Amino acid sequence: MAKGDVHEFEDPSADVLAEAAAAFGLLASAARLRIMWALAQGESDVTHLADRVGGALPAISQHLTKLKLAGLVRSRREGRRQVYFVDDPDVVTVVRLMVGQLADRARNEATAPVRLVHETGA
C-alpha cells in the first residue's frame, strides 16, 4: 500500500490492542457470545436470557458480570429486575456481522452440492 493511500490506517496503541484482545477473549466463550447475540437483538433480564440461551441462572449472571465489567454490556434496574443491554452500536455490529457471516457460510455449505474428489482436481 502506497504512503498516503486512502486505505492507510494508523496503528492502534498497545493499550487499545490489549483492550480489544481482552474483549475478543471474553467473546471467545460460546456462552458469552450467545448472550451477546441475544442482547444484540434486544434487552433482557437474567431469567429471560437463561431461558433463551439455555443456561443456568447463576452461570448467566456470572457471564453478564464479566461482560459488564469489560464494558460490553450495561444494565439498569426496573423494579426488582435488572435489565441488561448492549449500549454500544459498534459492539452490536461486530457481533451481528461475525455471527451472521458464519451462519450464512454454514447454510451455504449445507446446501452446496457435494463434489467428488476427481471433479475438483484434489
Side-chain angles (χ1 to χ4, degrees), residues 2 5 9 11-12 14 19 40 49 61-62 66-67 71 78 96 112 121:
D5 190 330
F9 293 99
D11 289 340
E19 188 175 335
L49 270 174
S61 291
Q62 287 177 1
K66 289 179 181 181
L67 292 168
E78 282 187 3
R96 285 184 176 165

Side-chain angles (χ1 to χ4, degrees), residues 37 93-109:
W37 174 260
T93 299
V94 168
V95 170
R96 285 184 176 165
L97 180 64
M98 186 63 174
V99 174
Q101 288 289 91
L102 292 173
D104 286 347
R105 186 179 303 160
R107 274 192 297 277
N108 291 337
E109 288 174 0

Side-chain angles (χ1 to χ4, degrees), residues 4 7 20 24 29 43 50-51 54-55 59 62 73 76 80 82 96 98 101 118:
H7 301 290
F24 281 120
S29 157
E43 60 188 34
D51 289 343
Q62 287 177 1
V73 165
R76 71 172 182 283
R80 301 175 81 190
Q82 192 79 2
R96 285 184 176 165
M98 186 63 174
Q101 288 289 91
H118 68 343

Side-chain angles (χ1 to χ4, degrees), residues 1-2 5 12-13 16 25 37 47-48 51 61 63 80 84 93 113:
M1 194 176 329
D5 190 330
S13 70
V16 168
W37 174 260
T47 303
H48 289 105
D51 289 343
S61 291
H63 288 306
R80 301 175 81 190
Y84 292 87
T93 299

Side-chain angles (χ1 to χ4, degrees), residues 20-108:
F24 281 120
L26 281 170
L27 296 178
S29 157
R32 284 191 289 273
L33 188 55
R34 190 173 291 122
I35 290 167
M36 289 297 293
W37 174 260
L39 291 175
Q41 310 313 309
E43 60 188 34
S44 182
D45 64 13
V46 179
T47 303
H48 289 105
L49 270 174
D51 289 343
R52 178 165 180 186
V53 303
L57 278 172
I60 299 300
S61 291
Q62 287 177 1
H63 288 306
L64 284 167
T65 298
K66 289 179 181 181
L67 292 168
K68 192 173 176 183
L69 287 171
L72 296 174
V73 165
R74 293 190 45 206
S75 68
R76 71 172 182 283
R77 183 147 308 275
E78 282 187 3
R80 301 175 81 190
R81 298 179 333 139
Q82 192 79 2
V83 177
Y84 292 87
F85 56 97
V86 181
D87 193 35
D88 186 339
D90 292 333
V91 171
V92 171
T93 299
V94 168
V95 170
R96 285 184 176 165
L97 180 64
M98 186 63 174
V99 174
Q101 288 289 91
L102 292 173
D104 286 347
R105 186 179 303 160
R107 274 192 297 277
N108 291 337

